[in-house]
Amino acid sequence: MKRVIVAIDGPAGAGKSTIARRIAEKTGFVYIDTGAMYRAVALWALRANVDLSDMHKLEELAKAAKLVFLDGGAGMELNGENVSAEIRTPEVASAASKVAAVTAVRRALVEKQREIAANASVVMEGRDIGTVVFPDANVKVYLDADQDVRAKRRAQDLIEADTAKIAKEIADRDKRDSSRPDSPMMQAPDAVYLDSSGLDLDQVEEAILKLIRDRTSNGKEIH
Ligand code: DC
């Protein structure tokens, strides 16, 4: 069987990472969290005091960044340092959204993302996977959930009591991510829209596994 690409896009807190990781475990495909790549570049920029509007410097960092996924994609190494925890702060999330609006940064990271999937079947999650990175992906899902559900989930992840603060942070980020000119967050026309608000993880997982089975086992789409 040829390489299979499963693209999962959607806003912050929709449950993409958890689901993508579970799908990767079930299928044996490689799990790729592209947001972690933008976060790692943002972390480097913050540490190096690079102005987040300095496109040239940001491009240099994105090109030079040595990014290695750890622990089956759950962790991230930046230039030899394990930054898995450091990239998860709200400050880095917000910086990642800003850095991700820079075309040259996107170009550098999309190239790395395509390289990773060159010889492997992947479950790749982000904002532009089904639209830009892999427009020919075998399976495309746009995973969404109500805003308050997403804020609560994110607050739980971060062990942050102030859900209203988190709600504002993700609303700001979603607005920036969906309104940027280059590769804005949006549903690909051929993506399946899945609202996870009222579903548990098993139900979302089963819906996506069914799509993968339908699209890959009958030989119609995999040659
Ligand atoms: O998925 P995440 O929350 O870890 O992503 C962090 C930021 O990175 C997000 O706000 C926008 C950006 N991003 C992007 O622009 N394109 C992607 N494919 C993945 C993330």
Side-chain angles (χ1 to χ4, degrees):
M1 191 168 80
K2 279 225 174 141
R3 159 194 90 141
V4 177
I5 309 270
V6 180
I8 304 182
D9 291 304
K16 300 186 299 294
S17 300
T18 309
I19 281 299
R21 210 174 302 149
R22 286 176 63 147
I23 301 288
E25 255 170 45
K26 285 276 161 73
T27 54
F29 300 171
V30 178
Y31 164 56
I32 308 292
D33 171 4
T34 61
M37 301 170 79
Y38 290 94
R39 286 170 182 259
V41 172
L43 175 69
W44 194 3
L46 290 175
R47 283 177 170 180
N49 282 320
V50 168
D51 189 326
L52 297 184
S53 59
D54 186 341
M55 297 193 216
H56 185 65
K57 269 272 163 52
L58 291 173
E59 174 178 15
E60 274 177 17
L61 296 191
K63 281 184 172 162
K66 288 199 189 64
L67 304 174
V68 178
F69 284 100
L70 306 172
D71 308 325
M76 170 58 70
E77 191 179 275
L78 167 68
N79 302 330
E81 177 193 350
N82 186 335
V83 294
S84 310
E86 287 82 350
I87 61 169
R88 292 296 152 200
T89 66
E91 187 196 10
V92 171
S94 167
S97 171
K98 290 175 187 155
V99 159
V102 177
T103 291
V105 169
R106 302 202 70 80
R107 200 182 300 131
L109 295 189
V110 167
E111 192 182 316
K112 291 182 206 273
Q113 290 154 17
R114 290 185 179 140
E115 263 169 33
I116 296 169
N119 299 304
S121 290
V122 296
V123 183
M124 193 175 280
E125 55 129 328
R127 304 290 187 288
D128 62 338
I129 312 306
T131 50
V132 174
V133 184
F134 287 111
D136 297 329
N138 308 78
V139 176
K140 296 184 189 180
V141 174
Y142 191 85
L143 190 63
D144 203 354
D146 293 344
Q147 242 175 337
D148 55 330
V149 171
R150 294 193 283 112
K152 273 187 204 133
R153 285 183 189 158
R154 204 25 78 87
Q156 263 174 4
D157 287 349
L158 294 168
I159 321 169
E160 163 70 65
D162 193 346
T163 309
K165 194 170 117 199
I166 298 288
K168 175 159 183 356
E169 187 266 311
I170 62 177
D172 288 349
R173 213 143 57 87
D174 289 345
K175 191 170 170 214
R176 191 182 301 109
D177 295 342
S178 54
S179 62
R180 66 180 175 228
D182 188 356
S183 314
M185 167 174 84
M186 62 174 190
Q187 185 185 348
D190 54 348
V192 172
Y193 181 86
L194 210 59
D195 185 336
S196 71
S197 308
L199 302 176
D200 63 27
L201 280 171
D202 287 339
Q203 290 171 311
V204 178
E205 178 187 304
E206 188 40 43
I208 298 177
L209 285 175
K210 184 174 183 322
L211 284 173
I212 297 173
R213 283 194 297 270
D214 290 350
R215 302 274 165 91
T216 58
S217 63
N218 61 11
K220 279 187 186 147
E221 301 215 7
I222 302 281
H223 304 287

